[in-house]
Amino acid sequence: MATIKILTALFFLSVAPVFASQASSVVKYQCPMHPQIVREEPGTCPICHMTLEKVELEPAEPAGSVPKVEGKAAFNLSAERQQAIGVKTAVAGTQTLTRTLRLPGRVNGGGVLAQVMELDAGWLRPGQKARLIGPDFSETEAVVREVDNNLDSLTRSFGASLVPKSRMAWMKQGVFCEVRVRVELGKRLVLPTEAVLDTGKRQVAFVAVGSSHFEPRQLRTGLAGDGFVEVLDGVKAGERVVVSANFLIDSESQFKAAIR
C-alpha cells in the first residue's frame, strides 16, 4: 500500500507542471466588430449580435520602462497576421517640416490680395514664392510683396499682397482665386500623419519593437505640416511606427488591456 501511495505521489508531481500550464492558459470570447466586448463564455455581441470569436491569450508581457497608455496594452502579432491585415511601418526621424498655406485671394488691379488667418500670419514673409490657382484651375507663380500689420478684429486675419509672375486670362478685377504658399517650419522630429491615432482624449502611436511586438505610446505633438506632424515626446528618432491598419492594431491593443 505504501508503495502505491509513493507511486501515486510521484505521478502527480510529474504531471503538475502540465496541469499548471493548462490552468494558466486563458480563453476569452471577443466581438470582432466591438473589441471592448469580452466574455468568459461563447455567445453573441449585445451591440451587433455577431457571434463572439474565441481568443487564446499569450503570456502577459513583462513590465518595462515604457509608460503605460490607459485602456491599451502591448502585444505580439505574428508576421502572417501582420501581412493579412496590411500592417506597414515608417521610421521616426528629423527633417525639415513644411506646411502649405491655402489662402483665399482676390484680384485687385495688377496683383492679388490674400487673407491670412491670425494663426498663420507669422509664417508669411515678403519675398516668399507662391502659386495662384484661378477658377479654371490654371496656375501661375507669384511672390509675396507685403504682409499687412493691421489685424482685422472681425475676421481675425491680416491682408497680404502678391505679384503674379504672368498675367492669366481669369485675372480680372474682383475675381476670386486660391493662394498657396509653402513655408518651412524648421528641422523637427516628425512622424507621418497616418501614424498618429487621435482618440479624442489623447494622441497615440504604436511602435514596432523587433518583428512582432507592438507598444502603444502616448504622444505630445507640436506643429502639423504636409503629411507629417512634429512629435515632442513619446517616440524617439529611429523607432518604427505603424502607419497602416492602425485601427485594427488599436483594437487588438484595447482587447489585450481589457482582459488583463
Side-chain angles (χ1 to χ4, degrees):
M1 181 66 69
T3 303
I4 295 176
K5 288 182 178 180
I6 292 173
L7 291 175
T8 302
L10 290 174
F11 170 77
F12 279 108
L13 286 174
S14 66
V15 299
V18 176
F19 290 157
S21 174
Q22 291 176 347
S24 63
S25 62
V26 180
V27 174
K28 299 284 186 178
Y29 297 86
Q30 176 193 31
C31 175
M33 295 299 295
H34 301 92
Q36 71 273 23
I37 302 299
V38 181
R39 297 290 185 266
E40 301 289 335
E41 302 292 338
T44 58
C45 174
I47 300 175
C48 65
H49 306 294
M50 290 186 67
T51 301
L52 301 182
E53 294 184 354
K54 181 180 177 181
V55 180
E56 295 188 15
L57 305 186
E58 307 158 351
E61 297 294 334
S65 59
V66 177
K68 293 183 178 180
V69 179
E70 182 182 356
K72 303 181 190 300
F75 63 96
N76 294 326
L77 199 64
S78 68
E80 293 77 14
R81 179 62 175 159
Q82 292 178 47
Q83 184 176 9
I85 65 177
V87 174
K88 294 182 181 179
T89 61
V91 178
T94 301
Q95 66 180 53
T96 299
L97 185 63
T98 63
R99 178 193 295 172
T100 300
L101 304 180
R102 289 174 168 81
L103 316 171
R106 190 172 186 176
V107 178
N108 183 23
V112 170
L113 294 179
Q115 184 183 28
V116 189
M117 300 309 295
E118 184 177 11
L119 293 175
D120 295 326
W123 300 109
L124 210 59
R125 297 284 187 274
Q128 286 176 312
K129 294 182 180 180
R131 296 197 68 80
L132 307 178
I133 297 90
D136 61 354
F137 301 106
S138 61
E139 302 182 14
T140 185
E141 294 181 357
V143 175
V144 178
R145 180 173 58 189
E146 183 182 6
V147 180
D148 193 352
N149 293 324
N150 297 317
L151 175 67
D152 185 325
S153 59
L154 181 63
T155 62
R156 308 300 299 178
S157 65
F158 294 89
S161 60
L162 299 97
V163 179
K165 183 176 181 179
S166 58
R167 191 76 181 178
M168 307 296 289
W170 53 264
M171 288 186 178
K172 299 175 182 179
Q173 184 69 24
V175 172
F176 287 95
C177 63
E178 181 183 12
V179 179
R180 295 180 186 175
V181 185
R182 186 170 177 267
V183 298
E184 294 188 354
L185 310 180
K187 285 190 174 295
R188 302 172 186 272
L189 176 62
V190 299
L191 297 177
T193 303
E194 297 83 1
V196 181
L197 187 65
D198 196 332
T199 68
K201 293 182 178 179
R202 61 185 65 87
Q203 292 178 311
V204 177
F206 285 92
V207 175
V209 181
S211 60
S212 60
H213 189 66
F214 295 87
E215 295 176 351
R217 301 277 185 86
Q218 185 166 329
L219 304 176
R220 186 164 63 91
T221 59
L223 296 172
D226 296 331
F228 293 89
V229 61
E230 178 186 18
V231 58
L232 303 174
D233 191 30
V235 173
K236 298 178 182 179
E239 291 188 305
R240 292 187 300 115
V241 293
V242 176
V243 295
S244 68
N246 296 65
F247 288 102
L248 295 175
I249 292 290
D250 184 51
S251 295
E252 185 71 14
S253 178
Q254 290 183 54
F255 174 63
K256 295 299 183 184
I259 59 182
R260 288 179 181 174

